[in-house]
Amino acid sequence: MSEARLNVTSARHQPLNCLLSLKVGSTFLRNLIYVLDHNETYSQVEKEFPTGLRNRELTKAELAQEVSFYVVRDPVMRFFSLYFDKVVGKPENHFEWIIEKLKAHRVFHEGPDLSLSQHRDNCMSLLGFLRVRVRGRTKAPINPHWNKQIIRVAKAIEFGLHPLMLENLETQLLQIADGRIEGLERAAKMVKSRNRSPRPLPPEDILTREMHEKICALYPEDIQLYDLVKTGWEVLGRPPEIKI
Amino acid sequence: MAKNNSSSRGPGQRQLRVGESIRRILSDIFARGELHDPELAHVSITVGEVRMSPDLSIATVYVLPLGGENAEEVSRALARNKGELRHLVTKELNIRFSPDLRFLPDLTFDQMAETERLLNLDAVKRDLAKPDEPE
């Protein structure tokens, strides 16, 4: 029987591998790998993320020899990223079909200057929409933009990849690379800013206790995973070993 | 995350403060892998909540392995190691007493399983399907 392998996105000339998850820094990482591969940024518009990056299927032992990682994000912040990116914000990024469904079946406010309470209404509507979908209540496959992080990274955990946190991604990546990735720091600087959608209001202001509870109920394993990774980094000062 | 509180009267500020301190200390101990019980070697454990008795003599610790499986077994394994854990907690905790540690599975996932069961009832499914039909 052949040895199990994990499909990862890799740099072409450097020992760097990652498992990308949507709404968890994947555009930043794609751009970073593109810079490492080509020594130039993908385009002037970083929002257009590069495709055609190298994918490899590696064994656990091969992954352990190189800089191999996955990224986790606070599920609350990931929810707001979805809201600001796909529901409000730049129209070119919208998932129009979600907006249509929210308008048809739930409360949804549109416009450039929404109030705090209107954003809260929209977020509660989006959570209602996600509740049906994250729990697989529709025939459609669960969209990776809102599927649980744990489902995406379970294999990465099994294969022993290092867990990094989105909020400290560059620092933590430089630490685990430990000088093995030539030009990594420079590449990170070249990918100047994260792919961040405009935020008319800080998520912390929009978030209510009820909203927080709903996000926790929707993503309990992701809350656990994030807590383990965050505590691990804080306590150990290095990537913790996550076991599942 | 955990909500294991069934008492009608809420805990006092000191209970909450000590409980949160113990939760943090235990999380750190688990992160450092300071326990050497083989049954705990292959599991990542989160501490959802620590509830203190009014006299602070008993700490009920709600724990859950990542993903929620085998919570009972993990609680029992932690109970086997409670002497060592109590020693480590007391060392870190700047208080005069040494609370007894009692480990229980975090009920959040059980409640979620119950929610899942309810969601699977045909009547509930029909109701849930109404607002958002499959695209």
Side-chain angles (χ1 to χ4, degrees), chain A residues 86-142:
Chain A
K86 304 300 180 199
V87 181
V88 294
K90 291 180 186 172
E92 62 266 31
N93 295 336
H94 284 172
F95 279 179
E96 209 49 57
W97 64 274
I98 298 183
I99 296 170
E100 291 308 317
K101 284 200 180 291
L102 295 182
K103 281 200 294 201
H105 303 295
R106 300 174 190 273
V107 176
F108 185 71
H109 307 283
E110 284 183 290
D113 298 309
L114 298 181
S115 67
L116 180 63
S117 70
Q118 287 174 320
H119 278 298
R120 284 179 174 163
D121 285 346
N122 285 353
C123 285
M124 290 303 282
S125 291
L126 180 61
L127 279 166
F129 168 91
L130 293 179
R131 181 172 164 269
V132 179
R133 278 163 175 76
V134 170
R135 292 179 179 171
R137 303 292 162 204
T138 70
K139 286 175 189 161
I142 302 173

Side-chain angles (χ1 to χ4, degrees), chain B residues 60-130:
Chain B
T60 307
V61 184
Y62 294 94
V63 292
L64 201 65
L66 180 60
E69 282 182 19
N70 305 321
E72 290 280 356
E73 289 85 342
V74 166
S75 301
R76 279 198 292 273
L78 289 169
R80 275 202 308 273
N81 290 274
K82 83 170 178 178
E84 188 181 355
L85 284 166
R86 190 177 183 180
H87 170 72
L88 291 167
V89 166
T90 308
K91 204 168 68 174
E92 292 288 324
L93 202 64
N94 194 19
I95 50 177
R96 288 189 301 275
F97 54 90
S98 173
D100 185 22
L101 302 176
R102 296 181 183 177
F103 293 94
L104 288 176
D106 190 332
L107 294 176
T108 311
F109 273 81
D110 284 350
Q111 285 161 359
M112 284 210 54
E114 175 60 12
T115 309
E116 288 292 312
R117 190 190 66 75
L118 290 171
L119 284 165
N120 274 319
L121 295 174
D122 284 344
V124 180
K125 267 186 185 171
R126 278 196 297 276
D127 186 47
L128 279 174
K130 274 181 194 167

Side-chain angles (χ1 to χ4, degrees), chain A residues 1-212:
Chain A
M1 206 166 88
S2 63
E3 199 172 348
R5 289 172 181 273
L6 182 69
N7 192 315
V8 287
T9 303
S10 303
R12 287 186 186 278
H13 316 295
Q14 309 254 25
L16 182 130
N17 313 296
C18 61
L19 188 83
L20 301 172
S21 303
L22 290 178
K23 309 302 314 158
V24 191
S26 61
T27 300
F28 172 81
L29 288 168
R30 282 176 190 277
N31 278 289
L32 181 75
I33 291 173
Y34 187 91
V35 172
L36 289 171
D37 287 352
H38 299 89
N39 203 25
E40 61 180 12
T41 49
Y42 170 66
S43 75
Q44 294 304 309
V45 188
E46 286 176 12
K47 194 76 183 171
E48 294 171 19
F49 58 80
T51 54
L53 297 175
R54 182 189 194 195
N55 276 291
R56 291 193 295 171
E57 292 197 340
L58 300 175
T59 64
K60 189 172 183 176
E62 289 166 338
L63 287 160
Q65 284 169 2
E66 302 190 352
V67 179
S68 305
F69 64 97
Y70 62 95
V71 186
V72 298
R73 184 178 200 177
D74 179 350
V76 175
M77 290 299 124
R78 186 171 180 241
F79 166 76
F80 279 108
S81 171
L82 177 72
Y83 174 65
F84 286 126
D85 188 26
K86 304 300 180 199
V87 181
V88 294
K90 291 180 186 172
E92 62 266 31
N93 295 336
H94 284 172
F95 279 179
E96 209 49 57
W97 64 274
I98 298 183
I99 296 170
E100 291 308 317
K101 284 200 180 291
L102 295 182
K103 281 200 294 201
H105 303 295
R106 300 174 190 273
V107 176
F108 185 71
H109 307 283
E110 284 183 290
D113 298 309
L114 298 181
S115 67
L116 180 63
S117 70
Q118 287 174 320
H119 278 298
R120 284 179 174 163
D121 285 346
N122 285 353
C123 285
M124 290 303 282
S125 291
L126 180 61
L127 279 166
F129 168 91
L130 293 179
R131 181 172 164 269
V132 179
R133 278 163 175 76
V134 170
R135 292 179 179 171
R137 303 292 162 204
T138 70
K139 286 175 189 161
I142 302 173
N143 189 303
H145 285 87
W146 54 72
N147 204 358
K148 294 178 180 184
Q149 296 176 63
I150 191 87
I151 291 173
R152 175 71 181 150
V153 305
K155 280 276 174 199
I157 294 172
E158 200 182 301
F159 275 73
L161 271 64
H162 292 309
L164 309 185
M165 293 157 61
L166 182 64
E167 55 262 49
N168 298 325
L169 181 53
E170 285 122 277
T171 312
Q172 292 179 350
L173 181 53
L174 281 167
Q175 182 179 328
I176 63 163
D178 195 24
R180 285 180 289 169
I181 310 296
E182 200 183 322
L184 180 61
E185 195 167 1
R186 181 173 160 270
K189 281 180 186 156
M190 284 172 78
V191 184
K192 286 180 232 100
S193 60
R194 291 273 176 80
N195 162 42
R196 182 165 289 167
S197 299
R199 294 177 172 188
L201 286 172
E204 296 79 9
D205 290 358
I206 299 172
L207 186 68
T208 61
R209 179 184 287 266
E210 187 186 3
M211 216 180 280
H212 188 268

